[in-house]
Every structure is written in structure tokens, then in C-alpha cells.
Amino acid sequence: MAVASGRRAVSREKSRPSVFWPLAAVVVPLTGIFAKIEIEDADKLPREGAFVLAPNHYSNFDPLVVAVVVWRLGRAPSFMAKESLFRVPVLGAALRATGMVPVSRSSSASAARDTIRGSEQLVEHGRGVIVYPEGTLTRDPDLWPMRGKTGAVRLSIAGDIPLVPMAHWGVQEIMPRYGKIRLWPLRRRVRVVLGDPILPSEHGADVSRPSTLVAATDVLMDRISGLLARLRGGTPPEQRWNPSAHGQTETGRLES
């Protein structure tokens, strides 16, 4: 796995023994069988302290790639997970042990409080979290990022945490969207690039004002689309794909 920006120092969270060690011992070499990952601008990911990493999402395999990238860059990878999963016996304990952050799909006051608590925990423990701003696999026919949700921005603003855009390309050759994993050829090239960290609060975004959250999310999606264009070439569509405008549910199927 190549890191274009050179070798990085390992953070304290990775150097301390944790549940991530046995997980990495399995996930890193397994992912390496299928993906030859090349990283550009690795220095954009903070070496210490809290961060929110926002990648594009077009394959069920790409969370493994993103997790390996974060681990290789010296940080422990944690994802946002649905709040309901934290109430499942055993699974909930496992999610907490790996630093996963609960997220509610609602926009209620309790969901807002959960976001604030999640951001406070990130700051307190100096952890990062990976949040897919699209919320699910892109529905765009050409795999460009679609319309984003405000979760990543809300989390960033609530804790004044750097929001790092990220794009990757090549995973679709390993596992196409809604497809099965392709076992051959092995070690397909996957390119990854990180962008400059964003602090939405510096641009006037406010968790109490939905309009500014949407505007800040649009800025984030523009950054991700620009990074993806840098990797794959071509120009992103002028208007991002909106699933509801095409009668699509979150599973990507047409509504009846």
C-alpha cells in the first residue's frame, strides 16, 4: 500500500493495545488480497485529535478500503452506526468497544442531543469517525456522489471538529454496486485522495439553522466530487442525483 505523502508517525490511539489490533490483523491483509491501495495527500488527515472523515460511497466493499486507509495513516477507524444497533445485546457492546458513534435518522430534538453527545465524546477521547454523507450507496448512474445528508456537517459543527473530504475510485472493479465480489484478478488498483479539512462553523453553518446545514453539506459534496474528478477524470454532473426525485427508496429500488 503506497502513501504518496510519505510515512506518517503513528498516533497514540493506534500505538496503544486495543480491540482494533486483532481486527486489523484480519482486515488489513484480507483487503490487501483484493485491493492495491494508493493514497494521495495523506497528510490531510489529522495525526492526533478528533476528526470527521467524509468519503464517497458506491460499493459495499469500500468501507473496508476506507478503514484500512485510516489504519494505515495511523488512526483507528470508527464509523457512524444506526442508533438502534446499539440496543442489540452483544452487538451494541462491540460497537461501543470499537468507538462507533450512534446516529439517529430523525431530525428530532433527541437526535440533535445525540449528535452533540457524539461530538463531545470524539473531542474528549481525541477520536475520529467516518461518516458517509450520502447515507447509503450513491444512486447516480455513473457513480458520482449524490445529494448529501447533513449528519457529517452537524457532527463537525457540534464539536468544532475538522471535516475531511475524501474520494476513492477503483473499488467498483472489486465489487460493483449491488453486485458480488469479483475474485479475479487480485489486487486491483484503488486510488484514494484526501482533501483540505473544513470547519463549517467558519462559514457560518449552525446546527440550529437547517438552511446553513444544507449549504455546508453542499460545499462538502462539491469537495468530494472535485476530488473524485481528480481521480477518475471527467466532470461531475452539474446537479447531484436526488433519489426521491427518481422514485427511489434507500435500497435503490423504485417505489411502488
Side-chain angles (χ1 to χ4, degrees):
M1 178 177 187
V3 179
S5 300
R7 186 176 295 277
R8 286 164 52 102
V10 176
S11 67
R12 288 189 298 271
E13 68 180 7
K14 183 177 176 181
S15 61
R16 290 194 301 261
S18 71
V19 69
F20 287 102
W21 284 16
L23 288 174
V26 174
V27 174
V28 172
L30 177 64
T31 304
I33 293 173
F34 297 99
K36 181 182 179 181
I37 304 173
E38 302 172 2
I39 309 174
E40 300 176 28
D41 294 336
D43 58 314
K44 305 294 187 183
L45 188 73
R47 191 178 70 85
E48 299 284 355
F51 67 86
V52 178
L53 182 65
N56 58 321
H57 191 23
Y58 55 87
S59 167
N60 285 324
F61 191 87
D62 66 52
L64 290 177
V65 169
V66 174
V68 169
V69 167
V70 172
W71 183 255
R72 293 290 194 189
L73 295 184
R75 302 302 304 266
S78 296
F79 289 84
M80 263 194 163
K82 289 190 296 184
E83 186 273 337
S84 58
L85 296 177
F86 285 76
R87 298 195 295 270
V88 178
V90 182
L91 176 60
L95 292 174
R96 291 185 183 90
T98 53
M100 301 299 174
V101 176
V103 60
S104 173
R105 289 185 179 272
S106 71
S107 56
S108 64
S110 62
R113 288 193 295 271
D114 288 343
T115 298
I116 293 173
R117 280 196 296 268
S119 65
E120 289 174 345
Q121 290 175 6
L122 291 177
V123 173
E124 178 183 356
H125 299 289
R127 293 174 177 167
V129 66
I130 301 159
V131 183
Y132 283 110
E134 296 164 272
T136 186
L137 296 176
T138 182
R139 308 297 180 236
D140 184 274
D142 294 322
L143 303 183
W144 290 101
M146 63 177 180
R147 188 176 67 168
K149 301 180 184 295
T150 60
V153 166
R154 283 190 287 116
L155 195 61
S156 171
I157 296 172
D160 200 28
I161 301 169
L163 177 60
V164 183
M166 170 181 164
H168 54 82
W169 188 244
V171 184
Q172 76 282 358
E173 299 297 334
I174 299 170
M175 177 180 279
R177 182 180 55 180
Y178 311 128
K180 296 181 180 180
I181 194 165
R182 295 170 176 169
L183 299 177
W184 192 263
L186 301 177
R187 290 184 58 76
R188 291 178 182 266
R189 186 189 189 200
V190 176
R191 297 178 64 202
V192 178
V193 61
L194 288 87
D196 291 322
I198 307 167
L199 277 178
S201 58
E202 294 180 354
H203 303 281
D206 187 333
V207 289
S208 65
R209 297 173 59 195
S211 60
T212 64
L213 289 175
V214 171
T217 300
D218 284 341
V219 170
L220 172 63
M221 299 312 298
D222 283 343
R223 297 281 185 91
I224 296 172
S225 295
L227 292 172
L228 185 58
R230 171 175 157 184
L231 292 178
R232 61 182 283 188
T235 304
E238 292 185 6
Q239 195 167 31
R240 275 186 287 276
W241 188 266
N242 181 354
S244 61
H246 294 82
Q248 291 177 319
T249 66
E250 290 205 351
T251 61
R253 297 174 181 173
L254 292 177
E255 295 178 337
S256 57

